[in-house]
């Protein structure tokens, strides 16, 4: 009886997973069809497959949008780590005065809709000639992810046993050696989680990208959103473009799956 | 701004740890070091987030500069008082000659309460659906079964992919000749009928975010010790009783935080309706959220758009405050605990 029940639950779970995963599988499947097969009514479940649509997507210049996305995401993630690790360390291990105020300041930026600051940001970028500029966009992404990163990173720092730090101090290690040699190795999984989440958020960001870039610095999400084809049939090409946009996130998530799950639960971010 | 003083009191570290972090060895040099470490982050946030928000609030009290239609002369901006706010909240439009009257139909100002209602409707329905289905998924995933790790990774995919892809994906599923109508054998105009468009957004958002919700709840479930359930079984509690009397109260803190963050996020919804139904849907504003209205207004007048964005910000802030105040969403403490649960 018990065994039957557990088998049923396992089966139900897999059905659930199938439902959640189906649209993505369908997208990948469609990207391998010809436009004719992709547009057929009712939808075809068996079709000839090829990578032709991917060639078309790259011929239409998707490479440069992917590269822009990659630049902004990797650049902002590195900047966030550079800023967030020392800040979280200061907030966790060396309590500064008014630490609660600083923490509240960080979390309060989560109440903020991006729409609330977009206009002044637009005017500032226009004044300094940085509209449609991938460096400016990367910098904005860094600021967008910084509070979450500091917040998450601090939770990881709180897990570092104080005794280790104290032992290092007694040994006469100065603050910097203490940070690099003693604390960092314990924190590497945490850093991986923060980096992954910052990367995903930057890679997926649409609001700022669509309003602050036009062509030179256009990233993948706004490119996808405005993807239309004059000749009517473009479902297979669009699926190929979407699959390319999803791929880096899936790969990064797969590689660091455990860190991602852990980091999400800690940051409870989005 | 009592919220500012309210939340930090909840930020205090767990008892027993408060003193532990502040050690005798902490001297002035160390304190200075700490300030150096944290200053760059604060400066960046101040410049990139703080300054624009303050300057948007200032803009919201100014008049748009432009040509006076009656005289053809250029009129400088200047102080507008609360007229930009009245434009949204009371649908009052100020003509270039300075006469205040009700906004004509079709004016964006007239859409405010509609967008306000739509935003809260989306938020309420999606969060309830995501919480209920997410709870069910979390309870399933909390059991040990073959391939649990794979399931956990697979269901996170909808959350991790760009919303632009989600919207396009569902755009074709919802197409008139698309797969959903063909499976249902129905002829529903998913992206243009008023209520169908609303539900299209809700379905797509639920699909995207439920797995994430499930993961957060799961992190809370894993904190509940096995013995609690064993005791429940010994006392002869049924499965349903165990859920309502043991699981739910114990998972409540994690649940509240997850719901708070989902609500804040849903109130800002932009990408999904903007791409899936072109921002409008139905009669043209069936899926217009507050954030979409801000962007629409930017094309018509900056100062008025600033007023709307400030209103949106305040609405979200008030909701967050009420949550923390009355429903006891203890953000910091819960996250510290959750992390321990996941580390297990």
């Amino acid at each position: 009886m018990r065994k039957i029940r557990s088998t049923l639950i396992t089966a139900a779970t897999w059905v659930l997973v199938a439902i959640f995963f189906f649209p993505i599988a369908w997208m990948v499947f469609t990207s391998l069809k010809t436009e004719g097969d992709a547009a057929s009514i009712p939808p075809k479940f068996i079709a000839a497959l090829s990578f032709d649509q991917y060639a078309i997507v790259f011929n239409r210049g998707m490479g440069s949008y992917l590269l822009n996305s990659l630049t902004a995401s990797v650049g902002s993630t590195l900047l966030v780590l550079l800023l967030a690790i020392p800040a979280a360390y200061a907030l966790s291990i060396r309590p500064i005065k008014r630490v609660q105020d600083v923490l509240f300041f960080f979390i309060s930026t989560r109440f903020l809709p991006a729409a609330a600051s977009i206009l002044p940001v637009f005017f500032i970028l226009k004044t300094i000639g940085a509209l449609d500029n991938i460096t400016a966009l990367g910098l904005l992404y860094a600021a967008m992810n910084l509070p979450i990163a500091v917040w998450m990173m601090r939770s990881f720092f709180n897990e570092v046993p104080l005794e280790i730090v104290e032992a290092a101090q007694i040994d006469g290690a100065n603050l910097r050696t203490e940070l690099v040699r003693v604390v960092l190795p314990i924190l590497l999984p945490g850093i991986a989680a923060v980096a992954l989440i910052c990367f995903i958020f930057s890679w997926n960001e649409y609001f700022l990208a669509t309003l602050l870039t036009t062509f030179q610095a256009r990233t993948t999400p706004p490119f996808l959103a405005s993807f239309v084809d004059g000749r009517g049939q473009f479902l297979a090409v669009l699926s190929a473009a979407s699959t390319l946009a999803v791929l880096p996130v899936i790969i990064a998530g797969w590689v660091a799956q455990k860190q991602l799950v852990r980091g999400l639960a800690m940051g409870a971010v989005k | 701004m009592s919220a500012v003083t309210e939340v930090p009191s909840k930020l205090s570290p767990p008892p027993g740890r408060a003193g532990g972090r502040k050690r005798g060895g902490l001297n002035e040099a160390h304190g200075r070091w700490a300030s150096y470490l944290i200053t760059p982050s604060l400066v960046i946030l101040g410049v990139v987030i703080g300054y624009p928000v303050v300057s948007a609030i200032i803009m919201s009290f100014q008049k748009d500069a432009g040509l006076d239609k009656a005289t053809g002369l250029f009129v400088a901006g200047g102080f507008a008082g609360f007229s930009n706010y009245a434009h949204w909240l009371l649908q009052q439009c100020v003509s270039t000659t300075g006469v205040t009257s009700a906004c004509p139909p079709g004016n964006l100002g007239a859409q405010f309460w509609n967008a306000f209602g739509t935003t809260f409707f989306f938020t309420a329905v999606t969060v309830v659906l995501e919480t209920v289905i997410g709870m069910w998924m979390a309870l399933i995933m909390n059991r040990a079964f073959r391939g649990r790790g794979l399931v956990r990774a697979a269901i996170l995919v909808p959350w991790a992919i760009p919303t632009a892809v989600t919207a396009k994906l569902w755009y074709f599923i919802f197409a008139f000749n698309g797969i959903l109508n063909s499976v249902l054998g129905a002829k529903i105009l998913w992206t243009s009928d008023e209520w169908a468009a609303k539900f299209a957004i809700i379905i797509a958002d639920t699909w995207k975010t439920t797995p994430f919700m499930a993961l957060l709840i799961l992190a809370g479930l894993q904190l509940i010790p096995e013995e609690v359930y064993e005791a429940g079984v010994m006392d002869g509690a049924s499965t349903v009783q165990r859920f309502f009397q043991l699981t739910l109260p114990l998972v409540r803190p994690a649940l509240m935080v997850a719901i708070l963050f989902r609500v804040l996020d849903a109130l800002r919804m932009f990408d999904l309706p903007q791409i899936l139904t072109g921002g409008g849907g139905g009669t043209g504003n069936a899926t217009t959220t507050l954030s979409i209205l801000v962007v629409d207004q930017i094309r018509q007048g900056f100062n008025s758009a600033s007023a709307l964005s400030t209103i949106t910000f305040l609405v979200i802030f008030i909701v967050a405050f009420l949550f923390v105040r009355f429903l006891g969403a203890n953000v910091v403490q819960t996250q510290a605990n959750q992390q321990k649960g996941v580390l297990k």
Side-chain angles (χ1 to χ4, degrees), chain A residues 109-114, chain B residues 119 123 261 263-271 289 291 316:
Chain A
T109 58
R110 291 224 27 182
F111 301 151
L112 199 72
Chain B
T119 306
T123 303
F261 282 165
V263 166
L264 295 187
D265 225 50
L267 288 174
R268 288 183 279 224
M269 194 190 286
F270 174 80
D271 311 19
T289 61
S291 290
I316 294 177

Side-chain angles (χ1 to χ4, degrees), chain B:
Chain B
M1 296 302 264
S2 52
V4 180
T5 52
E6 178 63 25
V7 179
S9 68
K10 291 178 180 289
L11 291 176
S12 45
R17 200 158 204 187
R21 288 275 160 199
K22 209 164 198 164
R23 295 182 309 268
L26 192 73
N27 57 36
E28 230 170 80
H30 276 140
R32 254 206 318 277
W33 250 104
S35 313
Y36 293 151
L37 293 178
I38 201 164
T39 308
S41 290
L42 291 177
V43 169
I44 293 238
L45 284 180
V47 172
V48 182
I49 295 179
Y51 172 76
V53 169
V54 172
S55 108
I57 294 173
I58 294 171
M59 278 173 77
S60 71
F61 288 104
Q62 281 171 343
K63 276 186 217 152
D64 285 320
L67 291 176
D68 189 323
K69 278 187 192 116
T71 59
L73 296 173
F74 183 81
V75 185
F79 186 65
F82 282 94
S83 71
N84 288 323
Y85 289 90
H87 175 71
W88 298 108
L89 299 173
L90 308 169
Q91 279 82 52
Q92 284 178 353
C93 286
V94 182
S95 73
T96 40
T97 47
V99 182
T100 305
S101 58
C103 288
N107 183 289
L108 287 178
Q111 290 188 25
F112 174 76
W113 289 108
N114 177 62
F116 186 89
T118 305
T119 306
F120 274 85
F121 176 71
F122 282 161
T123 303
V125 179
T126 56
V127 172
V128 167
L129 282 176
E130 285 157 17
T131 308
V132 172
I133 305 174
M135 174 65 94
W136 180 55
M137 285 168 77
L139 286 171
I140 290 176
M141 284 193 294
N142 199 27
R143 294 159 178 274
F145 63 90
R146 201 178 268 274
R148 189 168 94 159
L150 190 67
V151 167
R152 233 167 31 175
I155 64 158
L156 259 188
V157 171
W159 171 81
I161 66 174
T163 311
V165 172
T166 310
K168 284 291 176 188
L169 206 59
W170 285 91
Y171 180 81
F172 285 104
I173 294 173
F174 285 132
F176 184 68
N177 293 320
I179 193 157
L180 188 63
N181 272 351
S182 103
V183 167
L184 294 176
K187 290 187 163 55
I188 301 171
L189 294 164
W190 284 105
T191 52
S192 53
D193 179 70
E194 185 175 350
W195 280 97
K198 283 190 206 285
F199 280 100
I201 302 288
I202 288 168
I203 293 169
D205 192 69
T206 305
W207 175 77
K208 183 177 172 58
T209 323
T210 303
F212 174 64
M213 197 73 176
L215 199 84
L216 291 186
I217 298 172
L218 179 64
L221 283 179
Q222 290 182 340
L223 280 176
I224 303 175
E226 205 50 43
E227 300 86 64
V228 174
Y229 288 106
E230 282 162 16
V233 175
M234 298 270 270
D235 293 344
S238 72
T239 315
V240 177
Q241 278 174 333
R242 265 178 290 162
F243 174 75
F244 282 103
Q245 287 168 19
L246 294 176
T247 313
L248 205 54
L250 287 170
V251 85
R252 191 173 173 271
L255 197 60
M256 290 322 283
V257 172
I259 292 176
L260 169 67
F261 282 165
R262 269 310 300 149
V263 166
L264 295 187
D265 225 50
L267 288 174
R268 288 183 279 224
M269 194 190 286
F270 174 80
D271 311 19
L272 197 60
Q274 178 73 23
I275 305 169
L276 186 55
T277 60
T283 50
N285 53 19
T287 60
T288 305
T289 61
L290 287 170
S291 290
I292 291 177
L293 200 57
V294 172
V295 174
D296 287 346
Q297 175 62 36
I298 286 175
R299 301 191 185 102
Q300 301 192 8
F302 297 133
N303 296 324
S304 196
S306 300
L308 181 58
S309 68
T310 307
I311 293 171
T312 310
F313 173 48
L314 284 177
V315 165
I316 294 177
F317 193 87
I318 289 167
V319 170
F321 173 72
L322 291 178
F323 242 94
V324 173
R325 192 67 204 258
F326 292 110
L327 294 171
N330 190 336
V331 179
V332 179
Q333 182 82 59
T334 309
Q335 284 190 17
N337 289 338
Q338 239 172 32
Q339 162 193 1
K340 282 175 206 135
V342 173
L343 290 177
K344 267 207 270 191

